[in-house]
Amino acid sequence: MAYGFHFGGIIGKYFLVILRIFLIGGMVYMFRKWLKEGASNYLLIPMAVIFAGAIGNLIDGMFYGMIFDSGTIYDPSIDRWLGYGGTSKLVPFGQGYSTFMKGCVVDMLHFPLVDWYVPDSWPLIGGKHLEFFKYIFNVADSAITVGAAFLLIFRKRLFQMDLNFKRSIFR
C-alpha cells in the first residue's frame, strides 16, 4: 500500500489499483477546474507532486510484474505476500514474474535512524531489537508525502490567497 504496508491480499491489490485510477481521474478533473479558476501555485505545485507520486505508484503496480524477473508475489495458499532477495532484471514485456496488476509497487528506500539491539542487562526491554523508522518506501511515496507536507506548511497562504481570489471575483 505505502511505506511497506500490505492490504487485503490480491483483492486488496485490485482494489488499490482501481482506487488509484479513480483518484487520478478525479485529480485530472480538479486540475482542469483549478487552472480555469486561476488557482494559486501554493495549491497547484503540491498537488502536482502528489499527482506524480500517484501515477508512479499506479504504473509500478500495474506493470512492474510484467517487466522484471522477480519481485514480491502473493501466495494465496498462505494468504501472504512473499518477498524476494537480490535484484530484479529487466525482461521483455509480458515475460516477468507476474501478470497485469499483480506486480508490486517497489519499495527500495530504507533509512532506519535507530537500529539497535538493547543489551540483555537492561530491565524489561533487554535483548530486544529497536528500529526507529523501519518503513521501506519509494520515490512515489516520498512525492506524495512531500506534496501533502507542502499543503500543510503553506495552508495559511493558500487559504488567504483563495479568499482574496473569491473576493476579487465577487466585486
Side-chain angles (χ1 to χ4, degrees):
M1 201 164 101
Y3 291 98
F5 289 104
H6 298 285
F7 177 72
I10 201 68
I11 299 299
K13 176 75 174 150
Y14 291 143
F15 173 76
L16 286 174
V17 168
I18 292 166
L19 178 66
R20 287 175 181 139
I21 290 170
F22 279 110
L23 291 174
I24 287 169
M27 289 181 80
V28 168
Y29 171 79
M30 291 306 297
F31 271 115
R32 294 179 74 192
K33 180 180 173 191
W34 292 329
L35 289 170
K36 284 180 185 176
E37 294 175 353
S40 161
N41 283 343
Y42 288 108
L43 173 66
L44 293 175
I45 292 172
M47 290 304 293
V49 172
I50 292 170
F51 183 70
I55 288 176
N57 274 339
L58 176 67
I59 291 170
D60 210 8
M62 291 172 70
F63 299 109
Y64 183 88
M66 298 175 74
I67 61 173
F68 286 96
D69 67 346
S70 61
T72 304
I73 190 163
Y74 182 73
D75 184 350
S77 67
I78 58 172
D79 193 31
R80 292 186 53 104
W81 292 94
L82 303 174
Y84 65 100
T87 58
S88 296
K89 293 180 183 152
L90 192 63
V91 297
F93 188 82
Q95 296 180 14
Y97 72 91
S98 189
T99 58
F100 181 65
M101 289 191 351
K102 290 187 180 177
C104 288
V105 173
V106 180
D107 293 329
M108 76 290 271
L109 303 172
H110 183 216
F111 301 108
L113 301 176
V114 173
D115 191 2
W116 183 55
Y117 285 92
V118 181
D120 289 330
S121 61
W122 288 34
L124 300 176
I125 61 170
K128 294 185 180 177
H129 177 247
L130 296 178
E131 184 176 11
F132 175 73
F133 205 76
K134 64 181 178 176
Y135 304 108
I136 302 170
F137 56 99
N138 61 31
V139 175
D141 294 338
S142 300
I144 293 167
T145 303
V146 168
F150 280 164
L151 285 175
L152 183 66
I153 291 167
F154 296 116
R155 71 185 179 281
K156 288 184 181 179
R157 286 187 180 186
L158 170 63
F159 291 122
Q160 185 61 39
M161 292 181 84
D162 190 43
L163 288 174
N164 292 337
F165 178 71
K166 287 179 181 175
R167 284 186 197 128
S168 66
I169 290 176
F170 294 112
R171 285 188 190 173

